[in-house]
Amino acid sequence: MTRRILIAGNWKMNLNLASALELVAGLQKEAAGVSSVDIAVCPPSLYVQPVAAALKGSNIGVGAQNAYFEKDGAYTGELSMAMLCDVGCQYVILGHSERRNIMGESSEMVNLKTHAVLAAGLIPIVCVGELLKEREAGQTENVVRRQFDGSFSGISADDMKKCVIAYEPVWAIGTGRVATPDQAEEVHLAIRKMIEKNYSKEVAEAVRIQYGGSVNDKNAQEILAKPNVDGALVGGASLKVEPFMGIIRSA
Ligand code: PEP
């Protein structure tokens, strides 16, 4: 089974409309010939529509950084999956550590959203990862297993195959402190075994597991060379054309 590498940029709460459109114009030009790697950018919700419109027909997909699980109704400030589909969105990042740790998002909430994303025909990128104190206490696998079991509860085997998991050790996000390729591979392999245990070897082999945490154009190649690393979720280095393209080229 060959899994296609997915390089996705998580812009977080950065850029403005003009700089977002400038960035995607640059990426579109530079990535025009890339066919062996899936590429996506995840702008702030407000810019999903103009970015998706600018990238229409290109080889760069668009994702949201969050959305709500209900179809419609009195949920002030939220966006539905159908609204994202409507404007050309293809991916939704779920359970990013900033949402889990700053907004208090639980795995139960991530699970409701994972079901809703899949029901809408979108691809969830579900983030899991341990805090530094949890790694130091030898709890990495337990933490990731709890997040995995909680986030994917009740997801069918067919749907699981469509999911992307991003392993993002929290201590490596935005800190410049990247996990070593061996540290990443160890957890990616553990996650693949969790999928095999809950589903089957076939499902485990199909699911893409990205690494995220201070990935840049200098360290990407070594991390992406690991057999269970199927791409990268990139924060800071996705905000400029050159470093992001460097990561894509490394893949
Ligand atoms: C992220 O936000 O998902 C991330 C990995 O950020 P950074 O690449 O900046 O560490």
Side-chain angles (χ1 to χ4, degrees):
M1 153 78 62
T2 44
R3 296 178 292 268
R4 273 178 74 81
I5 295 279
L6 170 62
I7 306 294
N10 173 15
W11 294 357
K12 310 193 188 194
M13 199 172 75
N14 291 303
L15 306 178
N16 57 28
L17 183 56
S19 57
L21 292 176
E22 195 183 326
L23 174 55
V24 292
L27 289 174
Q28 210 172 344
K29 190 160 153 253
E30 294 294 321
V34 177
S35 60
S36 55
V37 175
D38 289 343
I39 307 168
V41 293
C42 304
S45 306
L46 190 61
Y47 303 144
V48 167
Q49 179 176 27
V51 165
L55 290 173
K56 199 168 177 192
S58 80
N59 58 343
I60 304 176
V62 178
Q65 299 170 19
N66 177 45
Y68 200 54
F69 62 88
E70 293 286 2
K71 284 201 167 64
D72 50 36
Y75 305 102
T76 302
E78 296 291 345
L79 291 179
S80 73
M81 307 305 167
M83 290 168 184
L84 291 172
C85 286
D86 207 17
V87 297
C89 183
Q90 292 136 290
Y91 302 87
V92 185
I93 299 174
L94 296 176
H96 190 280
S97 64
E98 286 147 20
R99 295 209 59 83
R100 289 183 190 265
N101 298 318
I102 303 172
M103 294 10 170
E105 197 161 289
S106 65
S107 288
E108 290 69 35
M109 176 66 87
V110 175
N111 180 242
L112 290 166
K113 293 182 177 188
T114 305
H115 281 275
V117 169
L118 288 160
L122 297 165
I123 300 173
I125 300 177
V126 179
C127 304
V128 296
E130 80 287 1
L131 301 168
L132 183 58
K133 63 174 190 243
E134 292 166 334
R135 171 161 283 264
E136 287 173 347
Q139 289 302 310
T140 297
E141 206 175 310
N142 286 339
V143 170
V144 170
R145 183 180 297 107
R146 269 201 305 277
Q147 292 171 338
F148 173 83
D149 285 339
S151 304
F152 292 105
S153 173
I155 300 293
S156 71
D158 276 350
D159 274 347
M160 188 68 216
K161 286 188 203 167
K162 298 172 197 157
C163 295
V164 176
I165 298 174
Y167 168 57
E168 299 207 309
V170 181
W171 47 271
I173 297 178
T175 59
R177 190 178 158 186
V178 65
T180 65
D182 286 342
Q183 282 175 322
E185 174 63 16
E186 187 183 11
V187 182
H188 282 230
L189 182 60
I191 294 171
R192 210 170 294 289
K193 286 188 176 152
M194 291 171 205
I195 306 170
E196 185 173 342
K197 184 166 166 275
N198 288 11
Y199 294 91
S200 66
K201 192 161 181 59
E202 190 211 341
V203 176
E205 287 301 317
V207 174
R208 292 186 287 182
I209 308 174
Q210 297 177 301
Y211 170 78
S214 297
V215 174
N216 59 38
D217 46 342
K218 311 218 164 38
N219 59 30
Q221 193 161 12
E222 235 194 320
I223 297 170
L224 292 168
K226 289 292 177 185
N228 284 291
V229 178
D230 310 312
L233 183 56
V234 183
S238 70
L239 295 172
K240 290 205 169 109
V241 175
E242 266 326 302
F244 195 54
M245 278 311 303
I247 297 167
I248 292 164
R249 287 191 197 104
S250 306

